[in-house]
Structures are given as structure tokens and as C-alpha cells.
Amino acid sequence: MKRYEATQTDVRFDGKRVYKTTQYPEIRPSDSDTVVISNEGDFLDSLAFKYYGDPTLWWVIALANGIGKAKMSVEPGLQLRIPSNINEILVRFHNLNQ
């Protein structure tokens, strides 16, 4: 996947193409979420692949747990919430960024 493949652009008043800011939905806790304890060597993208089958959904786990988006590694021993309502989250993400 290319870095800016899904990034939306707009045209400014002066005709220059600019990238739009990506908006992320609020991810509320649910009783059906999975709770895991992180292990040595865990990364957000590998956890997203394990639970969602898609490593590009790492940002869902980061947002749900208040982890900065610039940090892909996860400290061992952290309790992490893995949101179960991934389809709802992706629909809200799409609606915010159309």
C-alpha cells in the first residue's frame, strides 16, 4: 500500500493541491471488546493483524487505548482493549473523511 494512497486532497484558493487532515472517530468501550495483556515484542500493527486480519487498522487499537499514533511498539504488561465493533468504527471513519 502506498503511503498516500487513501489520503484525500483538496485544491486551495490559489490552485495548489493540499492534503486534507484525517479525522478519526471516537472509540467508545464496549462489553464485547477483547482485553489482552501485551507481551514483549508486541506492535500495534501485528496486534491489528491478529485480531482484524489487517495490519493497517493499528490506529484503532492505538485510539482505543490512548497510545500516540507515532509509536508502533507496545510496552510489555499493558492491558489493551481491542474494540470488537470494527465495522462500525470503519463506517464512522469513512463518514468523517468523505
Side-chain angles (χ1 to χ4, degrees):
M1 176 194 315
K2 294 180 182 173
R3 182 174 181 185
Y4 296 107
E5 184 175 299
T7 304
Q8 295 186 356
T9 59
D10 207 351
V11 178
R12 281 193 330 197
F13 64 92
D14 59 0
K16 286 191 172 190
R17 189 178 88 168
V18 294
Y19 294 105
K20 291 183 179 181
T21 301
T22 302
Q23 302 293 318
Y24 293 95
E26 178 184 356
I27 301 176
R28 295 177 209 97
S30 168
D31 290 339
S32 61
D33 291 346
T34 301
V35 176
V36 299
I37 304 298
S38 61
N39 294 308
E40 184 75 37
D42 276 346
F43 288 86
L44 293 173
D45 56 348
S46 61
L47 290 169
F49 181 75
K50 179 178 179 177
Y51 290 97
Y52 303 132
D54 185 347
T56 65
L57 297 178
W58 62 269
W59 58 269
V60 173
I61 299 169
L63 283 175
N65 293 283
I67 299 172
K69 295 182 203 110
K71 185 178 177 185
M72 292 298 283
S73 62
V74 181
E75 296 175 29
L78 279 182
Q79 179 176 311
L80 297 173
R81 181 171 61 89
I82 311 295
S84 62
N85 57 341
I86 190 66
N87 291 328
E88 177 188 326
I89 292 168
L90 294 177
V91 166
R92 286 189 285 133
F93 175 80
H94 176 73
N95 290 339
L96 286 170
N97 293 287
Q98 353 184 17

